[in-house]
Amino acid sequence: RRLSTVEVLGRSYPKDKFTNITPSILSKLPTQLYTRPGHPLNTLKTTIEAHFPDYAHFSNLPALVSTYQNFDSLSFPADHPGRSATDSYYVNKDLMLRTHTSAHEVEVFCDGHKKWLLTADVYRRDEIDSSHYPVFHQMEGARLFSDDLNVSGDALARENTRLFSELSSEHVVLEDRTLVDSKNPYQEHHNKQLADLVTQNLKYTLSLLLFKLFAQAADPSSEAPLQIRWIPAYFPFTTPSYEVEVFFRHKWLEILGCGVIQQATLTNAKVSNEIGWAFGLGLERIAMILYKIPDIRLFWSEDLRFLSQFKPGEISTFQPYSRYPATERDISFWCPNDFHSNDFCDIVRDEAGDLAEEVQLIDQYHDKRKQGYVMSRCFRIRFRSMERSMEHAEINKIVITIKKRASEALRVEIR
Ligand code: PHE
């Protein structure tokens, strides 16, 4: 059977056995939620951009990238799990939807930009619940310095002193759990002193950003300083690498990933005489915290009860309104050995769209007697519309189609 083509943003691409992009995902590509004035994602983006006025700001790069851009240019090993078709959306074996804004690092550095921010929609195959949606938004930020200590050392040291005194006067408490060690090392060829200055610059720069974002949303009556902590992390394209957490509303929350850019990335971008840092943050995650938005689907809502709540440039608390009732349906089936729940979730998304609120695996068991199908699984799907009440007949129809598609495409045997 001929595999034909798939159309993405007005162009046709040949399909192959990697193709797993669905119509419901394709329909999200032109949306650009973060460009809508007043939308929380737009306010967060413009607030962050205002914090970095002398950086170049990008937000128009197409979501379709090569696997080289998304992975190889960033030193992802060939067997990295992120490359798997169960985790990413592929148009075909060479082209995919970016899974992170880091996919554009090489091209932006290659264009000569040394201080920049980039906002974009990113795509990941995942479960279905209140904090996971296959499309979300990230902001990448990066800054480069000359890798010659004589050229950039003094200026960096002076800037770091200034940033540090700003932080202290703002009552930010930095808890640093990181140690540069063999697990999270500086890079071989870097001058240690310079790598240390760059790491400090990254920490102070991001701490001031987080102070700006979180302090205005924190309890204003509290005199307590904002607590920020730095945790060692791993990314293929940075070392040392960190995750940053903020103590907010009585909890430590993971906010972003960052680190000192791997030399290989800079070499790919033909700027090998530079050293620098990069960070990537999830806009929905931060907006859900700051605005108290309980469900990630709300960002896509056209309901005026949602949209009319927000003023451009203002981070305010979301006022919940009454929700329409939910309906649950269980689907059980025997699974072949290569079954992956992300494949099932994509069929649910494709048929139910934003009516799918949560897909939960509620039961699974082995049966060795059943030939070929060893595992039985039962998924509970919760349907709820954000904007209207649903008919039972409508849900029944969707469930029948989900079962049909799952048995055809995933070779499950419905029970
Ligand atoms: N791209 C990483 C992610 O999506 C975040 C990151 C960006 C980490 C830049 C380090 C440097 O998780």
Side-chain angles (χ1 to χ4, degrees), residues 99-102 105 124 138 140-141 235 237-238 242 257-259 278-281:
T99 62
H100 57 171
T101 41
S102 306
E105 279 190 10
R124 291 186 197 173
Q138 283 190 332
E140 189 93 357
F235 303 102
F237 42 96
T238 50
Y242 308 99
C258 61
F279 69 85
L281 54 81

Side-chain angles (χ1 to χ4, degrees), residues 172-228:
V172 177
V173 173
L174 292 189
E175 182 188 325
D176 202 336
R177 304 204 160 185
T178 64
L179 211 63
V180 173
D181 61 13
S182 59
K183 287 204 193 96
N184 199 18
Y186 286 138
Q187 292 167 47
E188 279 280 297
H189 60 281
H190 279 162
N191 174 302
K192 298 278 172 294
Q193 200 184 336
L194 187 55
D196 195 48
L197 286 167
V198 169
T199 305
Q200 292 233 309
N201 189 259
L202 168 67
K203 288 183 178 172
Y204 297 162
T205 304
L206 287 181
S207 297
L208 278 168
L209 170 69
L210 295 178
F211 175 76
K212 173 151 177 189
L213 293 177
F214 284 86
Q216 65 162 306
D219 176 5
S221 63
S222 144
E223 293 280 293
L226 182 70
Q227 297 180 72
I228 301 175

Side-chain angles (χ1 to χ4, degrees), residues 297 324-328 352 354-356 382-395 398:
R297 291 179 303 161
Y324 290 97
T327 305
E328 291 183 339
D354 287 359
L355 296 181
R382 190 164 69 239
F383 299 91
R384 188 201 309 269
S385 168
M386 292 269 164
E387 28 238 356
R388 62 186 175 82
S389 53
M390 305 167 299
E391 301 282 331
H392 278 288
E394 175 187 11
I395 301 300
I398 294 172

Side-chain angles (χ1 to χ4, degrees), residues 298 300-310 318-319 321 386-387:
L298 282 164
W300 297 85
S301 172
E302 300 286 349
D303 193 325
L304 288 179
R305 290 177 302 172
F306 179 75
L307 293 173
S308 67
Q309 290 195 17
F310 308 110
F318 170 68
Q319 303 299 325
Y321 41 83
M386 292 269 164
E387 28 238 356

Side-chain angles (χ1 to χ4, degrees), residues 273-317:
N273 293 328
E274 312 272 328
I275 179 173
W277 51 250
F279 69 85
L281 54 81
L283 286 179
E284 277 85 349
R285 177 160 172 76
I286 298 178
M288 286 175 83
I289 296 167
L290 294 177
Y291 285 83
K292 296 197 187 168
I293 292 175
D295 190 311
I296 195 166
R297 291 179 303 161
L298 282 164
F299 291 102
W300 297 85
S301 172
E302 300 286 349
D303 193 325
L304 288 179
R305 290 177 302 172
F306 179 75
L307 293 173
S308 67
Q309 290 195 17
F310 308 110
K311 292 206 188 63
E314 219 173 86
I315 296 177
S316 55
T317 302

